[in-house]
Amino acid sequence: MTATSGPSGGRSGPSAGGRHLLRQPHALASLRERLRDTFWFAPAAGLVAAFALWWGLAELDTSIVTHLKDEQAYDEIGDLLTFAVDARTIVTTVSAAMMTFIGVVFSISLVAVQMASGQLTPRVVRIFVRSRISKLTLTVFLATFAFSLLVLTSYEGGPDPDPRRVTSVPLLQSLLTLGLVGLSLLLFVAYVSSMLRLMRVGPVLDHIARESLRALASHSGGPVETLPLGPATARLVHREAAGVLREVGVARLVRAAGRHGTVLRLLPRTGDFVVPGTPVLTVHGGTAPSARSLRRTLSVGVERTLYQDPAFGLRQLSDIALRALSPSVHDPTTAVQCLDRIVQFLSMAVHLPLGALHHRDRRGDVRLVQEVPGWTDLVDLAFEEIRWSAAGSPQVTRRLLAALDDLLLLAGEERREPLRRHRALLVEAVERTVPEAADRAFALRPDRQGIG
């Protein structure tokens, strides 16, 4: 970032809907989210763990044989060798077949993901990437393959080794290989079940809704307040690669502002696309923090995430509903299911103070003001595009009217205006689109199930 003196091109003070954030993200939350968005970390860690387990068990197996030799227990060593020879056949089969099994399983999975993204929205691919069962399954499969290859190196002699001459019998290694094979089979069943759920609309919408509600809950905070910031003394511009603003390092920005006795105001919202030269922060009072102190406080990427962007959940639900209402798909029942989850989200947001987040330091002084979508923004995002496409589908118009009526009952008077506006616009659209009075009356009858 680069500091520029003079008036800011952004807003100079918070809206009346401002509030302060009582809870800041955990220090490891950012790292955890970054790792969840990657598909390589868990398998790589699994391979390292497989090597470490093999090395440790190989040492234990050697210690067992050494102890039995010290006790002159050659008959017991012979029994261990008999078991190891029998297990060697299984280990060899596992090592030869596991990689082929991995390729077949995940080829089928990619087809399932492609079908889900085509039927719903391409953004469901992130559900597969972030899925714990997908990563765990691939991790265990690869670990089993690598471990079985390592175990094969521990076998000594031919098919009938001499108990007096062997130095190690891969007993524990073979047992663990068999255990990994059993675990792989169980995970395969769970993984197939997970992939089948991904191909169904209901579980996908439920997953999006749960993640969105968690993100929305993290934005809940204190009372609504107005905080005059005074004129902007400098602004900081984005100098890194272009991309979507995915994450804001709140704690680092608050500390930097506290050291310089200033208040920072974040201009773009999480989810906005920023390019080099875009103003991202305005400085109010004090001195502008150096660009070095603000490095990596704003993270950009190629796509939005739900971590600090609860509106992205509404965006996904709206996208799925719009695709369902398109002439090529024409699936109003899926659109109704999306509206169910949209109402679930808005029914939680309707009670939350929305507007600007006021992040404070340990002394209680405001150091960072961050804009988040207000109530009207969320309502428009949820209903505007769906309303445009729903006029010709009575199932969707009836569900949409029921959704707006339910939210009107939950909302306070100060938040009812956008709901009333969307209801009136929907009625006008249906009256323009549907020529018959009886059909209009049917389409404008609120129904939580659409048409039963």
Side-chain angles (χ1 to χ4, degrees), residues 46-215:
L47 292 175
V48 173
F51 180 82
L53 279 173
W54 169 78
W55 183 83
L57 293 179
E59 292 295 321
L60 287 176
D61 285 334
T62 301
S63 300
I64 291 173
V65 172
T66 301
H67 174 73
L68 292 177
K69 280 186 174 182
D70 293 340
E71 298 293 329
Q72 301 294 314
Y74 294 110
D75 291 339
E76 285 77 2
I77 296 177
D79 293 337
L80 294 181
L81 287 171
T82 300
F83 170 80
V85 169
D86 294 337
R88 184 174 187 172
T89 303
I90 299 177
V91 174
T92 303
T93 303
V94 170
S95 63
M98 185 56 70
M99 186 55 69
T100 302
F101 183 60
I102 293 173
V104 172
V105 169
F106 280 87
S107 295
I108 297 173
S109 303
L110 292 178
V111 173
V113 172
Q114 185 178 13
M115 291 179 60
S117 63
Q119 294 173 354
L120 302 175
T121 172
R123 275 146 295 279
V124 300
V125 176
R126 67 182 300 274
I127 299 178
F128 173 79
V129 173
R130 292 172 60 89
S131 171
R132 291 187 176 91
I133 187 64
S134 300
K135 295 176 182 178
L136 179 60
T137 302
L138 180 60
T139 299
V140 173
F141 284 5
L142 290 177
T144 302
F145 172 70
F147 190 82
S148 62
L149 290 180
L150 293 171
V151 172
L152 288 176
T153 65
S154 299
Y155 287 97
E156 296 183 9
D160 190 19
D162 185 358
R164 297 177 180 275
R165 302 183 61 180
V166 297
T167 58
S168 177
V169 177
L171 171 65
L172 298 178
Q173 301 170 63
S174 301
L175 289 175
L176 183 57
T177 302
L178 297 178
L180 288 174
V181 171
L183 180 59
S184 299
L185 294 176
L186 292 176
L187 285 175
F188 171 69
V189 175
Y191 181 74
V192 170
S193 176
S194 175
M195 287 297 101
L196 291 176
R197 283 176 57 85
L198 184 61
M199 298 175 66
R200 294 160 51 198
V201 176
V204 172
L205 298 182
D206 178 69
H207 182 91
I208 295 172
R210 284 188 285 107
E211 280 200 333
S212 302
L213 291 174
R214 280 196 296 267

Side-chain angles (χ1 to χ4, degrees), residues 214-275:
R214 280 196 296 267
L216 184 64
S218 68
H219 281 68
S220 61
V224 175
E225 62 181 350
T226 301
L227 180 68
L229 294 180
T233 57
R235 67 179 181 180
L236 304 173
V237 299
H238 181 67
R239 291 300 183 191
E240 300 177 8
V244 175
L245 181 59
R246 294 160 50 102
E247 180 185 341
V248 179
V250 173
R252 295 189 62 184
L253 286 172
V254 168
R255 287 195 298 268
R259 286 194 298 267
H260 292 80
T262 188
V263 179
L264 299 176
R265 183 182 184 88
L266 183 65
L267 298 179
R269 292 177 180 174
T270 307
D272 287 356
F273 191 87
V274 294
V275 298

Side-chain angles (χ1 to χ4, degrees), residues 378-420:
L378 295 178
V379 172
D380 289 341
L381 174 58
F383 296 128
E384 185 72 25
E385 293 173 298
I386 297 177
R387 177 174 53 77
W388 285 23
S389 302
S393 175
Q395 182 179 357
V396 181
T397 58
R398 287 159 64 100
R399 179 63 185 102
L400 189 51
L401 285 170
L404 291 168
D405 289 345
D406 288 341
L407 291 172
L408 281 168
L409 292 175
L410 295 174
E413 185 59 37
E414 72 282 357
R415 292 196 170 178
R416 291 179 178 174
E417 188 279 328
L419 299 171
R420 293 193 184 107

